[in-house]
């Protein structure tokens, strides 16, 4: 079992920044990938950014590329998402996710086995 706990969400104005954190615990050795998804009301959950469990970022959605940066601290079992130049369309619940599969499609939420409880990000215009 793997437990994921997010923190760092909040409300900001457009152009502002936030940093999300995710702390993983449990059977981390079983994981291949870690990442962030988001879900806005009435929309499907979408992959935002992802990395290998060794800390190599391998995926950014086109909507966040060049604005969001993914990083990790393996010593603390933490994953971070630095979000800059936030836009109202970034408003969503953000979820940390982890997968035990050796191959994932970042648009497919079912490829991920473990999820955090989510943290809300609200960007006002």
């Amino acid at each position: 079992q793997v437990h994921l706990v997010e923190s760092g969400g909040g409300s900001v104005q457009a152009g502002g920044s936030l940093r999300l954190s995710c702390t993983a615990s449990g059977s981390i050795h079983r994981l291949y990938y870690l990442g962030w998804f988001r879900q806005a009301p009435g929309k499907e959950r979408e992959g935002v950014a992802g990395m290998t469990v060794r800390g190599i970022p391998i995926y950014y959605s086109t909507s966040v590329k060049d604005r969001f940066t993914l990083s990790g601290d393996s010593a603390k079992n933490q994953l971070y998402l630095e979000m800059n130049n936030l836009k109202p369309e970034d408003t969503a619940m953000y979820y940390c996710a982890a997968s035990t599969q050796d191959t994932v499609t970042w648009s497919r939420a079912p490829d991920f086995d473990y999820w955090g409880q989510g943290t809300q990000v609200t960007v006002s215009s």
Side-chain angles (χ1 to χ4, degrees):
Q1 190 74 5
V2 174
H3 298 282
L4 304 171
V5 179
E6 304 99 333
S7 61
S11 297
V12 295
Q13 290 190 330
S17 298
L18 284 172
R19 188 190 196 211
L20 305 183
S21 299
C22 172
T23 302
S25 61
S27 301
I28 299 170
H29 64 278
R30 299 180 59 222
L31 301 178
Y32 280 87
Y33 299 102
L34 291 161
W36 292 92
F37 283 71
R38 68 185 181 187
Q39 188 167 19
K43 294 188 177 181
E44 291 187 357
R45 193 168 293 191
E46 63 169 338
V48 174
M51 65 194 311
T52 68
V53 71
R54 294 185 178 182
I56 302 172
I58 57 172
Y59 174 78
Y60 290 99
S61 71
T62 55
S63 60
V64 307
K65 198 172 184 180
D66 299 327
R67 298 190 297 122
F68 291 11
T69 302
L70 187 63
S71 62
D73 185 335
S74 58
K76 297 180 179 180
N77 293 328
Q78 290 186 326
L79 181 71
Y80 310 107
L81 186 67
E82 187 75 35
M83 305 185 295
N84 297 313
N85 190 22
L86 282 161
K87 303 176 180 181
E89 51 264 42
D90 295 318
T91 295
M93 186 71 79
Y94 282 70
Y95 298 91
C96 183
S99 178
T100 60
Q101 298 183 42
D102 57 7
T103 303
V104 299
T105 298
W106 289 96
S107 59
R108 281 178 45 84
D111 284 1
F112 292 78
D113 309 278
Y114 301 102
W115 295 86
Q117 81 285 355
T119 185
Q120 178 68 35
V121 171
T122 302
V123 184
S124 58
S125 58

